[in-house]
Structures are given as C-alpha cells and as structure tokens.
Amino acid sequence: MRGEQFDALVRRLDERPIDFDGLCAEWDGDGYAFETPDRTHEGLSQAGLHEAAANAEPYVTNWYFWEADVGHEGRHRRAFLRKLEAADERSVPERYDALETGMETEWGQLRITATLGDAGERRYEVRHEDDAGADVDALEAHEDPLDARDIATYDEKERYRPLKTAPTLVNGWVFPALDGRDLTETVDTFYPATIANWNLEREGELDVSHWEETMERQSGIYSVIQTWNRGEGKEHVEWVAESCCDDSQCLKRREWQYDEETELDAPGGDGAFPCREPCSLVVAAARKWTRLEGEESRTYEFELTPSEKEQVEDIIGAVADGRVDDVREADIYEGANRYRTRFLRAKRFDENGNLSGTPTEPEEETDGAGEGGDN
Amino acid sequence: MQALVIVAHGSHLNPDSSTPTQRHADTIRATGAFDEVKTGFWKEEPSLREVLRTVESEEVYVVPLFISEGYFTEQVIPRELRLDGWDVSQWDSDGLNADTATLVAEDTGQTVHYCGPVGTHESMTDVVVRRAETVTGDPDVGPGFGLAVVGHGTERNENSAKAIEYHAERVRESGRFDEVRALYMDEEPEVDDVTDHFESEDIVVVPLFVADGFHTQEDIPEDMGLTDDYRTGYDVPAEVDGHRIWYAGAVGTEALMADVVLERAADAGADIEDAIASVREETRETPAAGD
Ligand code: SF4
C-alpha cells in the first residue's frame, strides 16, 4: 500500500463512508471503523486505521484502483474492466489470487489477460486468440492503442476489412502492458462500440433497431430497400442474416430481428457482444439485393452431366465459404479446382460466355416478328 | 470533459478513404485540447449511429469532414447521431455559412455542438493555398502561377459549386496567384480543358475533396490529360499543351485540414486557442517563408 493510497482513503473518509467490494470504512467523529469480511475494527485512531489498512492491503489497493485509476466517468469502460476480473462475482482475495497468474477473457478474436501490477494496479495484455500459447517475445509488441487501426485494416491476404468484426483479424502482435484506459481504447479500436453495446445490453438498455425500422429510416439511394419488405414475409431477411451475420462472417451476436414481433430463425451467433442494428455493409448489400430480387424467375434449360451439376454446387459452396484459395492446384477431385473449373468453362460455355449456350435473355419469338438478337 | 468527434463518409472498398480523417484526428489528439478525439463514419465503424456512445464526455463537438452543406450534413448525420429536434434552419445558412447548432443526442443524452462542414469554413482557403505550397515544394508559390480549385459541380448538390466558387474567389482576392479559376468535373468550365482557362505556364490544380479516391486519382488526372491510364501514375508537374500542371490530389489530405476542424469546434465554443496556434505551425510540410 503506497502512502498516497492511504492518504486518499483518509481524505475520502473525511467526506463520506466507503462500502465497496467488501471494504466498509467510516469516520464517526470519534474514530474510524474499518471492516473487511475477515475483520472488524472500531474506534481506530489514524495510526490504528493505517495498521488495519496495511493488514487488509488488497481491499485498500483494490478500492484505490477502482476509485482513483478507473473512476466513474466512463461507465462502459468501468463495467468492462470489472468484467475482466469477474469483480461482481469474486471476492477481492480470490481476484488477487487469480490476477497473480492472469485472468483471461475472449472478446471476438481478442484474448485479454488481466494481471496485477504494483500496489493493486492492473495491467492488461491483448493478443490474438490464435497466439494464446505464443511466447510474448515472438509477437510484435505495441503500446499505442491506435496501432490497432493498422493491424485491423487488412486480412492476412492483404484484403481490406470493411467489417471490423469479421473473423479475419491477423495475428502475430501483442499489446503487452496496457492500463485500463488504453485497454478499452485498444479493444474499441479493434471492435468499435462493442464495449458500450455489451454494457448497455447487460444493463438492459440496449437500443436494438430491427430490420424493418432500420430500412424505413434509410433515405437517398438506400430508400429503395423499403420496397423489398412489401408483403413478402421475412424470408428475404432470413437470407440476408444467414449470408452476412453468421458467426463465420461476423463475430457480433445479431440481436436485431425482422421487427419487434417477428423473430428471425437464422442463428444470431454466440458472440460476446451484440449487434444492435443492420450495419452499413448489410444495408448496402440489401440495396443490391432489392434490385436483383425485383427480377422474376425464369426457366432455363442447361445441359450438364450429374458430376457437372455437383461441380457447380461445389464451386458455389467454395466461394460462399471463402475456401477457394484452399483448393490445391492439382486437386482435381475438388469441384472448385481451377483446372476442373476451366475445363467446365471450355466445354460448357459458348463464345459469349453463356452456360450451355443458353442466352440470359431468350430471344423474343413473338409470332415470327421477332427482332432477333438479345434484348 | 469535452470531446471532439470528426464524422466522415468512409468506404467499404477503399481503405484510404478514412486515412485523412484518422490523421487529422491524431494531429488534434496530440494537442491535448480535447479529453477525447474520436472518428465516426457513414460506411465504416464506429458508425454514425454508435460513435457517440464510445465517447465518455458529456459535451461533444461534432465536425463533419465534408466539403459542402447538403444531404449528408443536413439529413444523414443529424439523423444517425439522433440529434433531437434538429432542423436545418438552426444553421440559418445560405449554403455556405452553417456554423453550429447545439442539440441533445437522444440515445446518450450528450450535449452535441453540431458544426458546419469543414469545406465551407473560411480557413479552408488557407488549406487550398497550403496544398499548393506542398505540391510545388515552394512556401511562396503564387507569382507566375495559376491556381485551379476543382469540384464536382452542381449535378448532385448545388452547394458543392458554391464552396468551390467561394474559396476560388478568396484566393483571387488575396492576389497571391496570377490567375485563379473554379473548374468542375461535370459542368462548365470543365477541368478537362484546364489549360484553356489559364495563360500562366504553371498551373496548380487543387481538387476540393475530402479524401483521395476514384474522382481525384482516376477521373481528374485522366480528364486533364496528365496520363492516359491512372494506373501508370503521372508526373508532378506534368506537361500538358505547353503548360506545367502541378496536380495536388485531394485537398483533404493536407495536414492543415486539422486546423479547419479545430476552427469549426472553436466557432462552436470550444476553448482551444493554443491548439489552433500549434496545429497551424506543426502541419506545415514546406519550410515557412524566411526559414
Ligand atoms: S448486421 Fe450482421 S454483419 Fe453487420 S455487424 Fe451486425 S451481425 Fe455483423
């Protein structure tokens, strides 16, 4: 216990009593009362208070950490930091024991480890979950929370990641020793607003905007999406949620539904943090789908062998699951293999790129007065 | 506590779109003038809908990194930030002089000073000039040079042309350049014919855009004839019809933009005089005259 920590305790008791995380203390005009779950003291002089505090040091340094270091300004930050050491479930000695070796929390693809520094200070380490067992020296060390911006910009194939919560965060880095404020800043840079939304949900205040109202709100080029909702049930929204919001695509747990009354069947996912409304990527995709889905189905005739039909399904599966790059060069057993696919194209496409030579727009054959050509 | 939130468009496709916004935020953060400095985007995260909840301060200055008043500043941003009772008349603007309106964000209860866009602030003229200094590497550039300020034109937003005209006129009045013109991508006078509009051999071309992207990196260089194919790049300066064209790229990438953001917040009541002075000096990329 540092001198300034004890001084802060005395100053605080001059103003008002303390009742926090198992520590109760007050000044009653004659002496100090000081109580922890193990011991009760009353009528203490300041020297007596010092001795009692020194004997219950974890309670005092813990109080000081949450009072002076964390403070009450950032409600979501405070709640998040308390979650990292299960502060609402575990006693101070239990936490101090566990923090000695480190308490771990998974947050999306992040792995956060809280440990104890000097005199009750907390230190936080953040790394990628895939680097859980890696030697810290083998990882690229960062101090500035904003470095997370660069780490999060591209995936391992150097492709831009417009959706921060896509499960494509690269690994190989570590923020070895952050304080509470920098930790929240780092997490919030990797996964913006997830701490606030998690805490709002925890407190029963998450403001979910469902699909219908979100699309209602759109204007300009996005207002067209409203037309997609007219009398078509919610199946189209199921497809959107299944395509974009599945845990394989996005680590947020989708809490928005079709509307207040109509839940979607698509799984929302198991993420630690909620998604409170369709994001801008989903809105942009929905605009495109609104247009595409305005088309009527037609019947086309294609010639395919049974294996070719299955190959088409394989190719769609590989693209949809992002497996294209995993198909080995010479693995001609895979339908989505490049040689197999090129063979299919060579055999089944005509010179205009039409599958089975079937044009996309059939020639209008209106009583022999057709104009010819594709319309 | 007071916070600054810079809001910008962002992109799903182009990672460079938000880079200038981040850089200006970093510059301002380093001054320590605000307890918090955050960025929010229409197309990136944190979204405009959620940026305010990432801010702990009760008092927030929101500055749109947009060039002109219009759809985004008047409708999208206030709606997405949930500024209670917003009405564009609160800016009392003719399209060029939106300053600030103070409102409460419905979801967070924060007091939001919602500022006009950076593009129409008078100090933006200084950024245009600073951009010309940076691209020519000459802190005294002006005599013997023409300057073109380039914008979209009125097709999508009539205020867009107003902002271009406004800054072109202010540079012209300063008398620093021999000739100053406002040129447009989709209306007369067109940037395609840039050399027809100048007698000066040297012409600095500054597009009034927030970030580099399709228009500033592909369209304008090709339209002006700096290159046949933007992918092969272009020289600075480049020779076109006997003129030397100093193409500056988006004005928004100029470091001094951070100053305009601060000016907006200061006009809205933020107490940040010292930060403004230091940013003006520190963002200079060419040695100051006399150095
Ligand atoms: S809408 Fe879907 S994809 Fe977008 S953030 Fe939410 S869960 Fe993820």
Side-chain angles (χ1 to χ4, degrees):
Chain A
M1 179 176 72
R2 293 196 303 255
E4 81 212 51
Q5 294 176 318
F6 181 71
D7 294 346
L9 182 80
V10 172
R11 266 200 315 277
R12 165 64 190 271
L13 293 179
D14 280 349
E15 289 164 25
R16 57 186 199 281
I18 292 172
D19 179 0
F20 179 74
D21 277 0
L23 171 67
C24 293
E26 66 176 327
W27 164 253
D28 67 5
D30 288 325
Y32 293 98
F34 184 92
E35 184 185 337
T36 63
D38 321 313
R39 285 196 122 109
T40 306
H41 307 269
E42 274 172 13
L44 296 172
S45 65
Q46 193 160 338
L49 178 69
H50 190 273
E51 193 185 330
N55 287 330
E57 189 175 329
Y59 287 96
V60 178
T61 59
N62 179 68
W63 168 80
Y64 183 84
F65 172 72
W66 291 107
E67 198 58 28
D69 290 351
V70 179
H72 298 270
E73 290 270 6
R75 151 189 175 214
H76 305 314
R77 171 166 52 90
R78 185 179 172 91
F80 184 66
L81 295 177
R82 284 185 70 78
K83 168 196 168 63
L84 298 182
E85 55 186 77
D88 294 335
E89 290 112 59
R90 297 209 197 180
S91 72
V92 171
E94 280 174 337
R95 272 145 63 193
Y96 270 45
D97 259 1
L99 287 168
E100 232 20 92
T101 44
M103 295 179 77
E104 271 149 15
T105 303
E106 305 254 311
W107 195 258
Q109 290 183 291
L110 305 179
R111 183 189 177 86
I112 305 165
T113 310
T115 50
L116 212 49
D118 291 341
E121 275 175 7
R122 276 32 166 202
R123 279 280 163 271
Y124 303 93
E125 190 214 70
V126 189
R127 58 170 72 187
H128 194 288
E129 59 179 355
D130 292 351
D131 294 326
D135 187 352
V136 69
D137 297 327
L139 303 171
E140 190 182 288
H142 295 269
E143 281 173 24
D144 183 351
L146 293 172
D147 287 358
R149 244 170 13 203
D150 292 332
I151 297 172
T153 303
Y154 299 96
D155 68 11
E156 61 177 15
K157 289 177 194 140
E158 295 288 309
R159 291 175 305 197
Y160 174 46
R161 298 174 68 241
L163 182 66
K164 292 270 186 32
T165 43
T168 54
L169 189 63
V170 293
N171 64 345
W173 47 266
V174 64
F175 292 75
L178 299 167
D179 64 15
R181 189 172 282 277
D182 281 355
L183 170 80
T184 20
E185 186 80 27
T186 303
V187 172
D188 217 47
T189 306
F190 279 119
Y191 297 138
T194 56
I195 293 177
N197 286 332
W198 161 82
N199 190 44
L200 288 168
E201 181 181 52
R202 198 183 66 97
E203 296 183 350
E205 284 179 33
L206 186 67
D207 48 338
V208 175
S209 301
H210 298 291
W211 169 274
E212 237 248 315
E213 60 188 282
T214 303
M215 299 315 151
E216 249 343 274
R217 201 179 76 232
Q218 303 303 318
S219 57
I221 59 169
Y222 297 105
S223 52
V224 66
I225 306 170
Q226 291 154 23
T227 64
W228 201 16
N229 288 340
R230 301 241 166 86
E232 285 183 49
K234 64 180 174 76
E235 199 178 27
H236 58 302
V237 187
E238 296 280 6
W239 295 328
V240 172
E242 187 183 325
S243 312
C244 305
C245 307
D246 189 79
D247 274 353
S248 65
Q249 307 300 307
C250 175
L251 298 170
K252 282 188 196 169
R253 170 170 34 82
R254 181 181 52 74
E255 289 297 325
W256 56 264
Q257 308 294 344
Y258 182 77
D259 60 23
E260 193 66 46
E261 280 84 48
T262 323
E263 291 231 347
L264 298 175
D265 298 325
D270 303 319
F273 34 80
C275 171
R276 40 164 299 285
E277 72 177 43
C279 66
S280 73
L281 270 162
V282 162
V283 171
R287 171 172 177 250
K288 182 69 183 169
W289 281 318
T290 302
R291 295 189 181 281
L292 296 176
E293 291 295 291
E295 295 178 8
E296 293 296 326
S297 292
R298 293 181 191 172
T299 303
Y300 289 98
E301 248 180 57
F302 298 114
E303 289 274 320
L304 294 174
T305 66
S307 296
E308 286 169 349
K309 172 185 174 285
E310 283 178 8
Q311 191 190 347
V312 169
E313 290 157 2
D314 281 351
I315 292 168
I316 291 173
V319 172
D321 295 335
R323 283 190 289 106
V324 176
D325 290 342
D326 301 336
V327 178
R328 286 165 298 171
E329 189 80 2
D331 190 357
I332 38 102
Y333 296 95
E334 267 281 357
N337 171 269
R338 197 170 70 246
Y339 296 131
R340 284 275 304 278
T341 307
R342 290 177 66 82
F343 184 92
L344 183 70
R345 183 173 68 178
K347 175 179 169 189
R348 290 298 185 188
F349 283 25
D350 68 9
E351 63 278 12
N352 296 321
N354 284 315
L355 180 58
S356 278
T358 308
T360 304
E361 297 293 335
E363 288 172 345
E364 303 265 13
E365 285 171 309
T366 48
D367 305 327
E371 289 152 29
D374 294 347
N375 292 331
Chain B
M1 300 220 317
Q2 61 175 15
L4 173 71
V5 171
I6 308 177
V7 293
H9 193 283
S11 164
H12 292 154
L13 300 173
N14 173 12
D16 298 330
S17 166
S18 57
T19 312
T21 313
Q22 310 282 20
R23 257 185 69 215
H24 306 322
D26 292 349
T27 304
I28 294 169
R29 199 174 287 118
T31 68
F34 292 90
D35 298 296
E36 300 169 276
V37 178
K38 298 267 183 183
T39 51
F41 300 94
W42 172 232
K43 294 279 179 175
E44 295 178 36
E45 296 161 278
S47 65
L48 300 176
R49 288 281 277 179
E50 297 185 352
V51 64
L52 289 177
R53 64 188 61 196
T54 71
V55 173
E56 294 181 2
S57 306
E58 280 306 313
E59 183 149 28
V60 187
Y61 294 85
V62 173
V63 178
L65 210 67
F66 283 79
I67 287 302
S68 45
E69 293 173 30
Y71 175 59
F72 279 101
T73 60
E74 294 170 1
Q75 294 183 46
V76 175
I77 298 169
R79 179 188 78 209
E80 299 290 294
L81 293 178
R82 294 177 251 195
L83 301 183
D84 195 17
W86 160 257
D87 189 287
V88 66
S89 65
Q90 287 166 293
W91 268 348
D92 188 22
S93 174
D94 61 2
L96 276 181
N97 49 18
D99 44 18
T100 184
T102 300
L103 302 114
V104 171
E106 269 169 44
D107 54 334
T108 63
Q110 287 153 314
T111 301
V112 173
H113 304 281
Y114 180 49
C115 305
V118 287
T120 54
H121 195 274
E122 60 176 12
S123 63
M124 188 72 187
T125 309
D126 302 342
V127 186
V128 172
V129 173
R130 178 74 73 85
R131 191 82 202 128
E133 294 173 14
T134 303
V135 72
T136 56
D138 177 3
D140 302 316
V141 64
F145 275 69
L147 175 80
V149 184
V150 181
H152 259 296
T154 49
E155 196 178 89
R156 291 196 312 189
N157 171 2
E158 63 166 319
N159 287 337
S160 142
K162 281 190 195 167
I164 311 292
E165 284 293 345
Y166 171 71
H167 295 296
E169 183 55 34
R170 279 173 49 86
V171 180
R172 192 176 296 126
E173 272 171 14
S174 76
R176 177 163 170 169
F177 291 84
D178 289 3
E179 308 163 85
V180 180
R181 301 269 178 277
L183 302 178
Y184 302 97
M185 294 181 62
D186 53 22
E187 68 181 65
E188 294 284 330
E190 286 197 13
V191 67
D192 304 30
D193 318 315
V194 58
T195 51
D196 296 353
H197 299 288
F198 287 90
E199 282 169 18
S200 319
E201 213 174 297
D202 285 289
I203 309 166
V204 181
V205 177
V206 180
L208 208 65
F209 285 76
V210 162
D212 274 317
F214 176 67
H215 292 309
T216 63
Q217 288 173 321
E218 304 177 21
D219 276 359
I220 300 177
E222 287 183 9
D223 289 353
M224 288 194 301
L226 302 186
T227 174
D228 295 333
D229 181 350
Y230 72 90
R231 282 165 296 197
T232 59
Y234 48 83
D235 294 332
V236 180
E239 291 277 337
V240 178
D241 301 337
H243 293 261
R244 271 191 300 275
I245 309 275
W246 303 75
Y247 180 60
V251 71
T253 59
E254 181 65 35
L256 185 62
M257 277 292 278
D259 172 63
V260 187
V261 175
L262 285 173
E263 301 278 354
R264 276 290 182 210
D267 292 351
D271 179 15
I272 48 174
E273 291 300 311
D274 295 348
I276 291 179
S278 74
V279 162
R280 288 207 148 217
E281 250 340 283
E282 281 162 20
T283 54
R284 191 176 281 284
E285 289 169 29
T286 53
D291 276 8

